[in-house]
Amino acid sequence: MAYEVYRPYFEAYIEYVEEIENADFVILGFMENLNGLHEKISKARKVNPDLKVIVISEEPLWDTVSGGDFQSKSTQAEFGGSLIPFFNINHVTSSIFDFEYIPYFLTTNDEMFARYGLLFSRNRLLSGTKFQQIWQMSKEKTVFLMQKRLESLYSVKYPDDDIYGLSQLRCKYAIKNQGDNVKILGPGWEDKGRRQELPDWHLDKISRFDRKVNIMSAIENTHLHTYITEKIFDAFAMCAIPIYYAAKQHRVFSVVEDKSFINLYGSNINASLPSFIHLNHNADFVERYVITQNILAKMFSNPFYLHLERLRVVNSIIAELEQL
């Protein structure tokens, strides 16, 4: 609800107020945000006992490592010696992120959709042979662009929900394969600031790697069947072969062709990356890669799909609020 592109949609249903005690709901993006607000919330509840606190979290990484009970919709946490009851609305406890047309994160700004529209309309005109030429001539053979996270904290497992932390796994996999043909970039790996601090980190990434990489890591922070960020779309848009991690029920298979990317799920993580280079010359793989480019060109061809997906997200959130 904090994204500017969503505000006009929500204004048809809700009124934003300045003072907490005048609100029906206090809506936050992270459980940790309660740390600086617990005193205000406690005071506001004395004036307005019906005030409800809600954490709407789009990022399973922070849900799984925060130490809170993210799998329960109604929960509480201690801040400043006081227990603050609140509601969790996230990938596990709601259907907000069960996308119909476009994965949620891609709806949070207009630029990403427009950029993909241009890139995939270009890519759909390329033949399998042309993609093979791009891979053969690419300046970088393999790139991992990610934050360095090797702590065990980032390898959490919730097998009943098929949720797995992947940050540590992808770092270890990159280190195992590090060499002349493999670059590891990002915070902790190189002496640069976070790319999110750039005026347009996404444009910087596209400009830097478009048609210059053979294989690009697109492994998410977390394996969760509805959680898909820009990573795999970026790789396809830049004409690179994505490395991903997805079980067969993962929703990524509803937006890209199966076996059109390197899928580490269920494979030997200790296997070396060079074993995948043969994909450049595998006719079936190349054909599936071309099919995916056409699927994505259609997916990002009509901004009306973006509008419909945002409406679905908003209606889902309003429905959740009405039930509380």
Side-chain angles (χ1 to χ4, degrees), residues 120-135:
F120 287 119
S121 65
R122 174 200 68 183
N123 295 355
R124 67 182 290 271
L125 301 177
L126 303 180
S127 66
T129 300
K130 182 60 180 177
F131 283 117
Q132 289 175 302
Q133 291 173 353
I134 291 171
W135 299 333

Side-chain angles (χ1 to χ4, degrees), residues 255-324:
V255 292
V256 304
E257 183 79 0
D258 187 16
K259 298 180 181 178
S260 64
F261 58 91
I262 297 169
N263 188 2
L264 296 185
Y265 187 91
S267 65
N268 181 9
I269 299 300
N270 293 317
S272 60
L273 188 58
S275 63
F276 292 113
I277 298 299
H278 73 280
L279 292 175
N280 289 5
H281 310 289
N282 183 301
D284 180 65
F285 175 83
V286 174
E287 181 181 359
R288 289 171 182 269
Y289 188 91
V290 171
I291 291 171
T292 291
Q293 292 288 349
N294 283 275
I295 291 171
L296 296 178
K298 182 178 180 181
M299 178 176 170
F300 294 103
S301 65
N302 190 343
F304 190 59
Y305 293 138
L306 180 62
H307 171 65
L308 290 177
E309 191 62 42
R310 285 173 176 165
L311 280 177
R312 188 203 61 77
V313 170
V314 171
N315 288 331
S316 296
I317 291 176
I318 297 301
E320 290 284 347
L321 297 181
E322 289 176 342
Q323 292 175 18
L324 298 180

Side-chain angles (χ1 to χ4, degrees), residues 1-8 10 16 58 104-105 107-109:
M1 296 177 74
Y3 293 105
E4 284 298 319
V5 293
Y6 269 102
R7 194 174 181 101
F10 281 110
Y16 293 88
E58 65 186 54
Y104 166 78
F105 185 70
T107 72
T108 57
N109 65 52

Side-chain angles (χ1 to χ4, degrees), residues 238-253:
M238 297 184 295
C239 300
I241 298 173
I243 305 175
Y244 208 67
Y245 187 99
K248 62 181 180 179
Q249 69 270 25
H250 199 286
R251 286 292 309 279
V252 74
F253 296 110

Side-chain angles (χ1 to χ4, degrees), residues 43-204:
K43 290 179 181 178
R45 277 182 164 156
K46 292 177 181 178
V47 179
N48 179 5
D50 295 327
L51 177 66
K52 294 181 176 67
V53 178
I54 304 167
V55 175
I56 301 180
S57 175
E58 65 186 54
E59 179 50 79
L61 170 65
W62 304 127
D63 293 338
T64 56
V65 304
S66 66
D69 183 11
F70 73 95
Q71 293 164 298
S72 298
K73 180 169 286 188
S74 180
T75 186
Q76 58 186 8
E78 184 176 344
F79 293 95
S82 300
L83 283 176
I84 304 293
F86 65 95
F87 295 95
N88 271 321
I89 297 180
N90 54 41
H91 287 263
V92 177
T93 65
S94 78
S95 60
I96 289 173
F97 303 101
D98 296 350
F99 64 91
E100 184 172 350
Y101 301 102
I102 302 165
Y104 166 78
F105 185 70
L106 307 188
T107 72
T108 57
N109 65 52
D110 294 327
E111 291 77 16
M112 209 172 284
F113 186 95
R115 203 165 285 149
Y116 288 146
L118 290 171
L119 290 168
F120 287 119
S121 65
R122 174 200 68 183
N123 295 355
R124 67 182 290 271
L125 301 177
L126 303 180
S127 66
T129 300
K130 182 60 180 177
F131 283 117
Q132 289 175 302
Q133 291 173 353
I134 291 171
W135 299 333
Q136 183 67 31
M137 299 298 293
S138 58
K139 181 181 178 182
E140 309 291 352
K141 293 308 176 186
T142 304
V143 171
F144 289 84
L145 181 61
M146 59 193 176
Q147 187 165 338
K148 190 174 186 178
R149 291 176 174 140
L150 290 168
E151 300 86 349
S152 59
L153 173 70
Y154 298 108
S155 61
V156 296
K157 295 179 176 65
Y158 296 90
D160 289 345
D161 290 312
D162 206 22
I163 298 174
Y164 303 96
L166 300 179
S167 295
Q168 185 194 66
L169 178 147
R170 67 189 180 193
C171 289
K172 287 186 174 181
Y173 187 70
I175 291 171
K176 176 178 176 57
N177 288 284
Q178 194 169 15
D180 293 339
N181 291 324
V182 177
K183 278 194 175 180
I184 309 177
L185 306 171
W189 305 102
E190 51 184 345
D191 188 20
K192 292 183 179 180
R194 289 172 57 83
R195 61 193 179 97
Q196 282 81 358
E197 296 172 358
L198 296 170
D200 191 333
W201 61 267
H202 188 249
L203 179 59
D204 177 78

